[in-house]
Amino acid sequence: ENVSNVAIAITDKGQGCYASSQYSVGDFPVIVGQVNVDGQAVAAYEIRPAGSDAAQFVASGSRLYLRLPGDSAEYSVYNLRGGALVWVATMQALGTAQFVSTSISIEALSAPEIYTVLPSTTSIPSPTRLLLSGHKATECDSLFP
């Protein structure tokens, strides 16, 4: 695996797509490594917080993209949290190998996050323990109906 399988794209958060350092963050360090899934080494990507802040304010988002093979299969994206793989998104590969959006916004990262992608048919061992802070989401978020 190599870092060329990861891309970050500027997205519209309702105020337009500004590729300018005035209105978007940038320079996200990406480190390629591996995680062990049921005895098998799988590529993993550590995404670190932006190295450059928006000079004015963050008007545009930054979204994580991963290159998937051209097999038209469904893939799941997992975040490594406290030693456990936690599902965060599902992606559909297309007919040719290309970048697909994970729908994961990273412009507000404050600490490194590790992601891996596996075929959705892969059996992931359930975490035996996970600490949830309760501070990352509120019912005011659009995630909750």
Side-chain angles (χ1 to χ4, degrees):
E1 282 298 317
N2 63 52
V3 76
S4 67
N5 290 324
V6 178
I8 297 169
I10 292 174
T11 60
D12 186 350
K13 291 176 48 172
Q15 299 178 23
C17 287
Y18 295 98
S20 155
S21 61
Q22 295 294 310
Y23 302 107
S24 62
V25 297
D27 300 329
F28 292 89
V30 176
I31 299 171
V32 179
Q34 295 180 335
V35 294
N36 188 319
V37 178
D38 219 13
Q40 188 172 19
V42 177
Y45 308 98
E46 180 181 270
I47 313 297
R48 294 190 175 176
S52 61
D53 294 329
Q56 295 291 320
F57 61 91
V58 179
S60 297
S62 299
R63 183 169 297 151
L64 179 64
Y65 281 71
L66 296 172
R67 187 189 320 263
L68 296 180
D71 60 7
S72 300
E74 184 178 85
Y75 287 83
S76 294
V77 180
Y78 296 90
N79 182 226
L80 184 62
R81 294 184 194 156
L85 290 177
V86 178
W87 176 88
V88 291
T90 299
M91 303 163 54
Q92 186 69 44
L94 304 173
T96 59
Q98 58 188 289
F99 286 102
V100 178
S101 172
T102 63
S103 299
I104 298 170
S105 295
I106 61 170
E107 68 272 2
L109 277 183
S110 59
E113 295 282 349
I114 298 173
Y115 296 99
T116 191
V117 61
L118 298 164
S120 291
T121 56
T122 304
S123 179
I124 301 297
S126 297
T128 57
R129 180 175 51 187
L130 183 63
L131 176 65
L132 300 175
S133 71
H135 295 287
K136 299 218 178 201
T138 72
E139 289 184 358
C140 301
D141 291 338
S142 61
L143 298 170
F144 295 95

